[in-house]
Amino acid sequence: MSTRILVVDDETAIADLVEVYLKNEGFLVHKCYTAAQALSHVAREAPDLAILDVMLPDMDGFALCRTLRERHLFPIIMLTARVEDMDKITGLTLGADDYVTKPFNPLELVARVKTQLRRCTSYNQPCQGPAQEYDFRGLQISRETHKCALYGQELALTPLEFSILWYLCGRRGQVVSSEELFEAVWGERYMDNNNNTVMSHIARLREKMREPSRKPKFIKTVWGVGYTIE
């Protein structure tokens, strides 16, 4: 069965361009031009990944991303003409997995789609290593089942959020730098601006774990160094 990609963009030319490149890679593409159309389509058939434009006529892409995240965990890539760091951070905090700014190289977008799908697939496969589950202080996380629970309540984590928490749990007691975490989880070379990406996802993860930002019990910030789970 072909991998299903949802493209939401009110600019027909861009939506068509993205469709051509994705179809050339064997993906099944469904295009929507408004947030309402996208929500209606996802209610009928959830995609394997969604590409959302920020500027939509009926609802901005950030709000659409937040709405989708209430029920769905498939990867989301934001497609935006905005280049300000705060806009990028907003999208990531609301649950987006990646972002691409316009104008963009279609081949780069396809590469990012493949990266997100690969990450999603790999973290839903049984682990062949010795450690398949961590269980401490009320936090349970299993790589074999790709489930995480806190005090018996399951957490709805995206594949990216799961992989961040899994990596930190695997190095419990150690301080993991933003650079190490980014290169291990995202699989890309770390640049200075990637620190905001890491911070946004850590904040989102803490929010789902209902961790107080100033005195978190699990994911702690070691200022100037990185993050640790004790």
Side-chain angles (χ1 to χ4, degrees):
M1 182 177 179
S2 298
T3 301
R4 302 181 301 269
I5 308 294
L6 173 64
V7 177
V8 187
D9 198 313
D10 63 332
E11 295 186 59
T12 305
I14 292 180
D16 290 345
L17 177 66
V18 172
E19 179 185 31
V20 168
Y21 276 84
L22 289 174
K23 281 190 171 182
N24 284 342
E25 296 296 324
F27 295 118
L28 182 63
V29 179
H30 185 89
K31 295 178 294 184
C32 292
Y33 305 105
T34 67
Q37 291 176 357
L39 291 172
S40 177
H41 174 75
V42 171
R44 297 191 304 271
E45 181 181 29
D48 297 296
L49 180 144
I51 300 172
L52 311 181
D53 183 31
V54 170
M55 303 300 291
L56 296 172
D58 54 342
M59 176 191 297
D60 70 63
F62 294 142
L64 176 57
C65 176
R66 181 175 60 246
T67 301
L68 290 173
R69 274 290 172 256
E70 292 175 357
R71 295 189 176 185
H72 304 281
L73 299 176
F74 52 76
I76 295 176
I77 297 176
M78 304 300 296
L79 191 61
T80 173
R82 300 177 180 179
V83 297
E84 294 84 356
D85 285 341
M86 189 53 64
D87 287 322
K88 299 173 184 177
I89 293 172
T90 297
L92 296 173
T93 302
L94 292 174
D97 297 282
D98 200 358
Y99 58 84
V100 176
T101 55
K102 299 178 181 178
F104 61 91
N105 184 330
L107 293 177
E108 178 189 354
L109 178 60
V110 171
R112 290 181 178 272
V113 166
K114 289 182 177 180
T115 296
Q116 292 301 326
L117 290 172
R118 184 165 57 248
R119 179 179 295 124
C120 183
T121 302
S122 65
Y123 280 95
N124 277 283
Q125 295 298 323
C127 177
Q128 300 300 319
Q132 298 188 43
E133 183 174 329
Y134 297 106
D135 187 348
F136 60 96
R137 290 192 293 135
L139 177 65
Q140 297 174 305
I141 182 169
S142 170
R143 190 170 180 184
E144 184 174 10
T145 62
H146 198 264
K147 290 184 178 181
C148 179
L150 184 60
Y151 306 127
Q153 183 175 1
E154 187 170 341
L155 302 178
L157 303 182
T158 67
L160 192 55
E161 292 163 351
F162 181 94
S163 61
I164 291 171
L165 186 57
W166 178 264
Y167 191 85
L168 291 175
C169 285
R171 286 147 186 80
R172 185 156 52 110
Q174 304 175 30
V175 180
V176 179
S177 68
S178 295
E179 179 178 356
E180 177 186 344
L181 186 60
F182 183 84
E183 292 188 350
V185 174
W186 275 260
E188 301 175 15
R189 184 167 174 249
Y190 180 84
M191 307 292 286
D192 288 341
N193 62 348
N194 295 138
N195 186 52
N196 287 336
T197 300
V198 174
M199 288 176 59
S200 299
H201 281 86
I202 290 290
R204 176 73 175 173
L205 194 49
R206 283 173 173 161
E207 181 183 344
K208 289 190 175 182
M209 297 173 73
R210 297 184 178 178
E211 289 247 80
S213 58
R214 293 190 176 182
K215 292 185 178 180
K217 180 180 179 181
F218 290 97
I219 304 176
K220 299 184 178 182
T221 300
V222 180
W223 294 108
V225 184
Y227 304 93
T228 183
I229 287 186
E230 299 178 349

